Amino acid sequence: MLPAGSPLSAWLTWLETLSPNEIDLGLERVRDVLDRLDLDFPEHVLIIGGTNGKGSSVAMTGALLQAAGYSVGSYTSPHIVDYNERIAVGGRLASDAEIIAAFEGIEAVRNDVPLTYFEYGTLAAFVVFAAADLDVWLLEVGMGGRLDATNVVDPTACLITNVALDHCAWLGDNVEAIAAEKAGIMRPGIPVVYGDVDVPEAILRHADDIGARLLLRDRDYSLDGIPQPGLPGRFQVANAAAVVAMLDAAGLEAAASEELVARVLPEVRLAGRAQRTERDGVQWLLDVAHNPAAATQVGSLLAAERSGGRTIAVIGVLDDKDAEGIVAPLDEHVDLWVALPADSPRAIPAGELARRIANATNRPCLIATSLPDALQAARREASEGDRILVAGSFYVVGPALQALGLYSPPES
């Protein structure tokens, strides 16, 4: 354990040394430590999985529950800038002191059980939530579902937003294999909402095999009466409808009332999701899209808002992502690419990324050595009436929001 009084930054650095693997899927280690913590669980636990739209769905679910008077703890990942963003209690981000106290409690019982950075953080969220004596725990799956640390707790209802190709090295190289992993958050007799119209066979089969109560769009619930959330994109209406269906199925009907849905959802915002700003006549769009399906949604936004100006795309991608697949749905809307190394040891080097983008698009791609360099290059190329897209990773968009002065330090 670190010395008493160590800051959160020191704890987070230390956590990175605990496991030789950044990702080590499995529930045994987490369950072992969770049993030792002996926490009290709330009446309701909601788990939200899927490939895209998880963060948006958590934000909408939390907003509706809080407006209905429930006390809620929300756990999400990754964070945009500050680690505290991952753990929120009643809409307030957990303080450094609360998170450090949770880390100390875990370390007091962990003994020699190895935990990854994500597993340790997930347990810390549970400790913070248990101390707050909340009505609802709202948990976003980190990767997959079946072996994700969040899945160590049994849900009272869950939501799978959609399934697309992502984390293929860990979850499988096709939609059905990935769907089988995401289906692992289901439980016998427990309602699970699937948010997309195209339902993988693995989802249907697993629900039938274990007797989960699978709720499907256009069969068990619809988009009727769902307003456009404050989050841009028509696809967010589908996410919102699935959220409302999950709340209703979980017995949290007060949070799913028509009046509350109409009043609350249009006010929901989330950093780095189709976030816009204008600077000197240039439009900026920042989105954490980091897989082909998410990039397709961003492409739809670009197409819907097409102006007469040029579009410059600033992009950084991690080495476990499909860079060409991310670029493909954006290419027809982009006039010039700027590649940079994302702020992560797993980033594709800028030169390599630029080569892959140029080969995939047959368009020029500038090479930037850093985020400031990339933003300056994009701004230098842009004229009034043009737009700049920043995308490809949380590790690009978060620092960009800071550089542009669009990120406010969290209140905790």
Side-chain angles (χ1 to χ4, degrees):
M1 184 184 294
L2 294 182
S6 297
L8 179 59
S9 58
W11 274 96
L12 296 176
T13 299
W14 179 73
L15 292 186
E16 294 176 345
T17 71
L18 287 184
S19 173
N21 302 310
E22 181 177 2
I23 299 169
D24 189 5
L25 297 176
L27 299 182
E28 294 81 6
R29 300 179 310 278
V30 179
R31 184 174 288 117
D32 187 0
V33 179
L34 182 60
D35 288 344
R36 299 179 193 181
L37 288 167
D38 193 26
L39 302 178
D40 291 326
F41 297 97
E43 181 179 358
H44 295 282
V45 175
L46 306 178
I47 297 182
I48 295 182
T51 301
N52 294 309
K54 298 190 296 292
S56 300
S57 297
V58 169
M60 289 187 277
T61 305
L64 288 168
L65 286 166
Q66 290 171 56
Y70 294 99
S71 57
V72 185
S74 298
Y75 176 60
T76 60
S77 65
H79 54 279
I80 290 283
V81 175
D82 289 294
Y83 185 88
N84 308 61
E85 298 166 25
R86 297 184 179 219
I87 305 173
V89 178
R92 170 189 63 81
L93 301 190
S95 66
D96 286 11
E98 288 173 304
I99 297 173
I100 291 170
F103 287 163
E104 290 175 342
I106 294 166
E107 195 58 19
V109 301
R110 181 176 68 89
N111 295 331
D112 58 349
V113 178
L115 295 173
T116 66
Y117 183 96
F118 178 76
E119 290 168 345
Y120 212 108
T122 302
L123 288 168
F126 297 168
V127 173
V128 171
F129 295 164
D133 191 23
L134 303 168
D135 299 322
V136 185
W137 291 9
L138 180 53
L139 310 178
E140 177 188 348
V141 173
M143 181 190 296
R146 181 176 65 92
L147 299 176
D148 188 82
T150 57
N151 199 37
V152 75
V153 181
D154 289 329
T156 48
C158 51
L159 162 62
I160 300 173
T161 57
N162 49 58
V163 177
L165 296 177
D166 197 12
H167 298 297
C168 295
W170 298 97
L171 304 180
D173 60 2
N174 61 80
V175 167
E176 288 296 334
I178 294 171
E181 291 297 319
K182 295 188 183 297
I185 65 173
M186 298 181 189
R187 300 291 194 278
I190 297 300
V192 52
V193 176
Y194 190 78
D196 200 3
V197 288
D198 297 321
V199 189
E201 182 61 32
I203 297 290
L204 298 170
R205 183 171 57 251
H206 189 66
D208 184 62
D209 287 346
I210 70 169
R213 292 175 48 206
L214 181 60
L215 304 176
L216 301 179
R217 180 172 147 192
D218 297 332
R219 187 192 74 180
D220 303 296
Y221 72 97
S222 73
L223 275 57
D224 294 344
I226 302 297
Q228 174 66 49
L231 301 162
R234 182 63 184 170
F235 60 92
Q236 294 290 5
V237 176
N239 287 334
V243 162
V244 172
M246 176 183 63
L247 289 169
D248 189 63
L252 296 162
E253 298 92 344
S257 70
E258 290 185 16
E259 181 275 328
L260 211 59
V261 167
R263 174 166 57 86
V264 172
L265 290 185
E267 301 302 318
V268 175
R269 303 286 189 276
L270 193 59
R273 276 70 165 188
Q275 190 167 347
R276 294 174 170 83
T277 189
E278 181 179 343
R279 303 289 172 88
D280 301 321
V282 175
Q283 299 290 330
W284 292 75
L285 175 65
L286 300 97
D287 194 282
V288 296
H290 55 277
N291 57 53
T296 298
Q297 299 291 3
V298 174
S300 298
L301 291 176
L302 293 174
E305 301 169 359
R306 185 69 188 179
S307 62
R310 299 167 72 232
T311 299
I312 298 115
V314 174
I315 185 168
V317 181
L318 301 187
D319 60 11
D320 63 340
K321 302 297 181 183
D322 179 3
E324 289 83 357
I326 294 169
V327 165
L330 301 174
D331 182 47
E332 65 177 293
H333 311 293
V334 174
D335 300 287
L336 175 65
W337 294 89
V338 182
L340 76 152
D343 186 19
S344 168
R346 295 187 289 123
I348 298 175
E352 170 65 13
L353 180 59
R355 182 190 66 79
R356 291 168 63 175
I357 290 173
N359 287 343
T361 67
N362 199 30
R363 295 180 187 272
C365 183
L366 304 181
I367 299 173
T369 58
S370 65
L371 177 70
D373 184 27
L375 297 181
Q376 289 172 13
R379 187 62 190 87
R380 189 167 54 245
E381 293 286 340
S383 302
E384 185 173 349
D386 290 346
R387 61 188 179 183
I388 298 172
L389 168 68
V390 182
S393 174
F394 280 81
Y395 299 98
V396 172
V397 173
L401 290 174
Q402 283 186 298
L404 294 169
L406 298 176
Y407 180 83
S408 299
E411 296 182 3
S412 56

